[in-house]
């Protein structure tokens, strides 16, 4: 009887060892698969994030292209007035004084429509930088043709406030371009 119990215990031990080995091998295989899937998910997530960033940048670029294509030979009065209003709003927001603003259509290459704006502003260097940065962020093709900065004449009121930042007179000539669509 003792031999039978001993044989039963040995069989149980052998089955237990076999079970542990099989489950550890199965677990190791499954863990390897999980790591492989995690790595693939991570790579795919990085690609998705890159694609989202590129989509955002390209949609902004597409907006610039859409705004820069036209079928007409010149800018419409509404477009010019809208841009003037935008410049006025930007200047008001930045507390910049616009002394003079004029626009003219300019002759340009055959498939290019160009309008030039001449601005005379009075502002601090920081305000000028912010204003130009705002212009650069527009959804139009804008080229600054000339930028002339000189000290503004100070009035008696300005001389009394010595802590106020220096103000400058800015002459800015910029062009807005559109490309004529070919039929």
């Amino acid at each position: 009887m003792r031999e039978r119990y001993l044989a039963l215990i040995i069989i149980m031990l052998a089955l237990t060892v076999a079970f542990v080995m099989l489950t550890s091998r199965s677990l190791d295989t499954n863990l390897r698969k999980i790591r492989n899937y995690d790595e693939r998910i991570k790579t795919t997530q990085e690609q998705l994030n890159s694609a989202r960033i590129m989509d955002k940048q390209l949609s902004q670029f597409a907006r610039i292209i859409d705004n820069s294509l036209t079928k007409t030979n010149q800018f419409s009065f509404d477009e010019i007035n809208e841009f003037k209003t935008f410049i006025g709003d930007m200047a008001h927001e930045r507390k910049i004084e616009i002394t003079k603003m004029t626009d003219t259509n300019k002759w340009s290459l055959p498939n290019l429509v160009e309008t030039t704006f001449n601005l005379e502003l009075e502002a601090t260097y920081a305000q000028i930088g912010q204003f130009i940065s705002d212009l650069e962020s527009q959804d139009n093709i804008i080229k600054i043709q000339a930028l002339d900065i000189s000290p503004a004449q100070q009035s008696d009121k300005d001389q009394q406030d010595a802590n106020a930042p220096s103000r400058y007179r800015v002459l800015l000539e910029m062009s807005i371009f559109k490309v004529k669509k070919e039929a």
Side-chain angles (χ1 to χ4, degrees):
M1 182 89 164
R2 190 171 182 195
E3 294 167 355
R4 286 186 182 168
Y5 284 128
L6 191 56
L8 183 62
I9 291 175
I10 291 175
I11 291 173
M12 286 177 57
L13 281 174
L15 287 174
T16 304
V17 168
F19 176 75
V20 168
M21 288 181 67
L22 286 174
T23 56
S24 71
R25 184 175 291 155
S26 173
L27 184 63
D28 186 43
T29 303
N30 288 340
L31 287 175
R32 219 176 296 124
K33 284 181 182 178
I34 289 171
R35 280 189 214 107
N36 186 18
Y37 288 142
D38 281 345
E39 193 63 35
R40 287 173 50 194
I41 288 170
K42 184 178 178 182
T43 303
T44 305
Q45 187 67 36
E46 288 172 356
Q47 291 172 344
L48 177 63
N49 290 341
S50 296
R52 285 181 181 160
I53 291 169
M54 287 177 63
D55 177 53
K56 184 177 180 181
Q57 291 173 344
L58 289 176
S59 68
Q60 290 171 338
F61 187 69
R63 191 174 326 129
I64 292 171
I65 289 174
D66 288 342
N67 284 344
S68 301
L69 293 176
T70 185
K71 291 183 180 179
T72 62
N73 290 332
Q74 62 184 10
F75 282 87
S76 70
F77 290 114
D78 291 338
E79 289 174 318
I80 291 173
N81 287 335
E82 182 180 324
F83 195 74
K84 283 182 175 180
T85 303
F86 172 74
I87 289 174
D89 291 344
M90 268 192 334
H92 179 72
E93 182 180 311
R94 300 285 182 201
K95 296 180 177 72
I96 296 174
E97 295 177 35
I98 297 179
T99 312
K100 181 174 133 186
M101 181 186 329
T102 59
D103 66 277
T104 56
N105 286 332
K106 223 176 184 182
W107 181 87
S108 55
L109 297 175
N111 286 334
L112 204 60
V113 178
E114 179 180 358
T115 294
T116 301
F117 289 89
N118 292 308
L119 300 170
E120 188 174 317
L121 312 168
E122 190 173 312
T124 65
Y125 265 126
Q127 290 170 328
I128 295 166
Q130 292 169 341
F131 184 78
I132 291 174
S133 178
D134 289 343
L135 284 175
E136 289 175 346
S137 68
Q138 289 308 300
D139 294 334
N140 296 310
I141 299 174
I142 297 175
K143 179 180 179 184
I144 296 179
Q145 303 286 2
L147 178 65
D148 181 39
I149 301 174
S150 59
Q153 292 182 350
Q154 294 183 341
S155 65
D156 292 333
K157 181 181 85 169
D158 293 338
Q159 289 174 353
Q160 290 173 355
D161 192 10
N163 293 334
S166 298
R167 295 192 61 84
Y168 297 90
R169 189 172 138 259
V170 180
L171 298 174
L172 176 70
E173 180 183 343
M174 65 180 168
S175 294
I176 299 176
F177 295 94
K178 284 198 175 197
V179 178
K180 276 184 69 174
K181 289 182 186 178
E182 293 181 13

